[in-house]
Amino acid sequence: MPGPDAVPHAGIPAAVAALAPAMTAWRRDLHAHPELGFEEHRTADAVAESLEAWGIDVHRGLAGTGVVGTIHGRAPSPRAIALRADLDALPIPEATGVPHASRHAGVMHACGHDGHTAMLLGAARHLAVTRSFAGTVHLVFQPAEEGRGGGLRMVEDGLFDRFPVDAVYGLHNWPDLPAGTFAVHPGPVMAACDQFTVRIRGKGGHAAMPHHGVDPVLVAAHLVTAVQSLVSRGTDPLDGAVLSVTRMEAGTTFNVIPDTAELHGTIRTFQPATRARLHEQLGRLVAGISGALGAEATLEIDARAPPTINTRSEADLAAAAAEAVAGPANVRRDAAPSMTAEDFGYMLAKRPGAYVWLGAGSRPLHSPGYDFDDSVLATGAAYWVALAERALPLP
Ligand code: NI
């Protein structure tokens, strides 16, 4: 994807631009050695060893493989911020064909967390030398972002008790945006994510004599249709929500009505009230429709990530930092939120902060042909530096 990074942004400090070859080497090394959530031992070792070599205080073990580096600025101040990157890869067989492709069968960095880690390392390298800020920057390298709850574990393990901060910031590469440009949302960025399972118990029997039983397949079919009313008819059209049934399981052959059927799916919302209402109404439909058709059903909802919602003044600060690096024309403030989810929401639920998107030319996230766009490494690292220096200005 062509973008302004074909010509490096004027706002990137020369010393950060000079780190691009090193960041590219780190990124490709991480890419070649991807590790799944909570198993990022080699990745965490590499991060911790680099930080220590640069004289940065390192704390390990939060959420198992998490790493936190702490840099004190040139001037004392009680203020502190956290900059967060993610470490983990996905269970996807890689199909990029690049020389630095995954050496671990079935596992690959298909979401660019290798790039996120390399950019935060680049920023750490620079900030450890310049320390042109007042107060403290905590560099948070979080495990298990991809659905394994690493963000929640970090918070539960006392991230913000051991490393108190005024605000927390995150960044994700975003292939839908031109490379090297930013999107900063003033509020909601990504949705809350819940997973649900419906287990229907009917009464199986001969497919030619359905009147002797209760067909759970028919109950499941009615439910799949009925639950689509919860968003289309029950939710304010201006309030984003999604309910998708993604898996149906029932039966084994042509001529037998099974005893049971299962439905699985996901619910995405931004507003807590909408989230609670969809849970409640889904339960009512499951009980009502299955009961009306003579079956029994249970509903299990596994509440996953909360929504990722930026706080206004931190979003403004993040946008100012992005503009300083990439120029105002390359920072969008009007991008629509995404119904995908991000476990950075657990951190934003505890502290003010902002999560920004950095445009990067690549295939779609989570696809086997994805490879992080190294041309934006300097832009991302420069953003972190600009953000730290703006959030914690020297007197
Ligand atoms: Ni990701």
Side-chain angles (χ1 to χ4, degrees), residues 86 111 113 116 145-146 172 342 366:
D86 34 19
C111 199
H113 298 186
H116 302 165
E145 192 283 324
E146 298 288 0
H172 207 291
E342 192 8 285
H366 294 208

Side-chain angles (χ1 to χ4, degrees), residues 31-50:
H31 191 92
H33 302 92
E35 295 169 302
L36 295 174
F38 295 127
E39 298 167 18
E40 308 96 331
H41 300 289
R42 182 188 184 279
T43 309
D45 285 348
V47 167
E49 282 162 20
S50 293

Side-chain angles (χ1 to χ4, degrees), residues 53-101:
W54 304 330
I56 297 171
D57 295 335
V58 172
H59 183 283
R60 299 191 63 173
L62 229 62
T65 44
V67 180
V68 180
T70 298
I71 308 176
H72 299 288
R74 238 188 263 165
S77 161
R79 289 186 48 78
I81 60 168
L83 310 179
R84 173 270 205 175
D86 34 19
L87 299 169
D88 57 322
L90 283 155
I92 297 175
E94 179 158 348
T96 60
V98 296
H100 54 274

